[in-house]
């Protein structure tokens, strides 16, 4: 039972989904961004989903096909480094796309924070192999903390929920044996730090 719950938690809070959840919360929860027209909300969700989920998924599928053609020569790179590089580029493109309007600056910051989190995981890959799940949750938690600091309305309980979910997800990753304690800690601290710096100063 615990193993099944841990797998469900890991799947629901996959790193590709976390930015989409965060943007959806800002758009549909009681925040300053709730006043956006519905068509703008769905446009933003589509843009974030495209760069966070669709394009990286297609990229991984193409890498898998290329690996078969190449006789498995890029299997190691495919498993970690190349997907992280693709993710970094996708989030940077997302941030550029969202530069069209000054009112979307917070969403641009979220995309940029996600890009920096992916880059952090890529650069530290030879040393820590930081947990991608915890990096994503650390980045999301930092974004919510920042939103509370600037007064984006009623984000306190969402922030608290994020902290609780992060703890549950860390336990799930440890229980499944997918990450060890150092990878969990490195991921969360790294994601939180780069996201906080990006949200506050970029």
């Amino acid at each position: 039972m615990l193993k099944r719950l841990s797998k469900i938690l890991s799947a629901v809070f996959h790193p590709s989904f976390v930015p989409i959840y965060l943007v959806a919360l800002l758009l549909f929860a009681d925040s300053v961004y709730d006043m956006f027209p519905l068509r703008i909300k769905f446009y933003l969700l589509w843009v974030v989903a495209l760069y966070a989920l669709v394009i990286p998924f297609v990229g991984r599928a193409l890498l898998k096909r290329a690996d078969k053609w190449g006789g498995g020569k890029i299997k190691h790179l495919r498993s970690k480094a190349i997907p992280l590089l693709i993710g970094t580029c996708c989030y940077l493109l997302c941030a550029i796309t969202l530069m069209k309007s000054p009112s979307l600056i917070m969403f641009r910051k979220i995309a940029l924070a996600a890009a920096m989190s992916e880059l952090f995981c890529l650069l530290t890959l030879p040393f820590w192999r930081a947990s991608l799940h915890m990096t994503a949750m650390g980045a999301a938690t930092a974004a919510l903390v920042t939103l509370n600091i600037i007064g984006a309305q009623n984000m306190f309980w969402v922030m608290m929920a994020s902290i609780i979910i992060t703890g549950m997800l860390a336990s799930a990753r440890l229980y499944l044996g997918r990450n060890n304690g150092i990878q969990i800690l490195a991921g969360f601290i790294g994601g939180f730090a780069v996201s906080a710096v990006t949200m506050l100063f970029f």
Side-chain angles (χ1 to χ4, degrees):
M1 183 64 177
L2 283 176
K3 187 174 182 179
R4 180 179 296 178
L5 288 174
S6 296
K7 286 183 177 180
I8 291 172
L9 199 61
S10 292
V12 171
F13 291 98
H14 187 278
S16 296
F17 295 146
V18 173
I20 302 172
Y21 295 154
L22 184 57
V23 170
L25 278 170
L26 290 180
L27 292 173
F28 294 99
D30 187 12
S31 74
V32 295
Y33 307 103
D34 186 44
M35 63 182 179
F36 282 3
L38 197 59
R39 61 183 180 84
I40 299 297
K41 291 181 178 181
F42 283 115
Y43 167 75
L44 287 172
L45 279 175
W46 162 244
V47 168
V48 174
L50 177 67
Y51 288 111
L53 188 62
V54 178
I55 296 177
F57 176 81
V58 172
R60 285 191 291 269
L62 291 174
L63 282 171
K64 188 175 181 180
R65 180 64 62 87
D67 188 41
K68 289 181 179 179
W69 290 340
K73 293 180 181 179
I74 62 172
K75 184 177 181 179
H76 176 69
L77 288 175
R78 190 191 78 215
S79 64
K80 288 289 183 180
I82 296 180
L84 286 171
L85 183 59
I86 292 174
T88 301
C89 293
C90 285
Y91 285 123
L92 286 175
L93 288 172
C94 184
I96 292 171
T97 302
L98 296 175
M99 288 178 65
K100 295 178 181 178
S101 172
S103 64
L104 302 180
I105 185 171
M106 189 55 64
F107 300 94
R108 178 181 61 80
K109 284 176 176 283
I110 290 172
L112 191 57
M116 294 301 101
S117 297
E118 293 271 325
L119 185 60
F120 162 79
C121 289
L122 179 61
L123 294 177
T124 59
L125 190 60
F127 312 105
W128 297 323
R129 290 186 178 271
S131 168
L132 299 181
H133 281 75
M134 296 310 297
T135 303
M137 289 305 300
T141 302
L144 291 169
V145 169
T146 304
L147 289 168
N148 276 277
I149 291 173
I150 66 174
Q153 298 181 13
N154 293 336
M155 288 284 108
F156 176 77
W157 293 111
V158 177
M159 180 186 70
M160 295 304 297
S162 174
I163 293 171
I164 293 170
I165 291 170
T166 299
M168 294 171 60
L169 184 59
S171 298
R173 301 301 292 174
L174 287 170
Y175 181 81
L176 292 171
R178 303 290 174 82
N179 298 115
N180 59 38
I182 293 176
Q183 293 169 339
I184 293 287
L185 192 61
F188 180 79
I189 293 176
F192 191 97
V194 298
S195 179
V197 169
T198 302
M199 296 289 289
L200 290 172
F201 300 109
F202 286 87

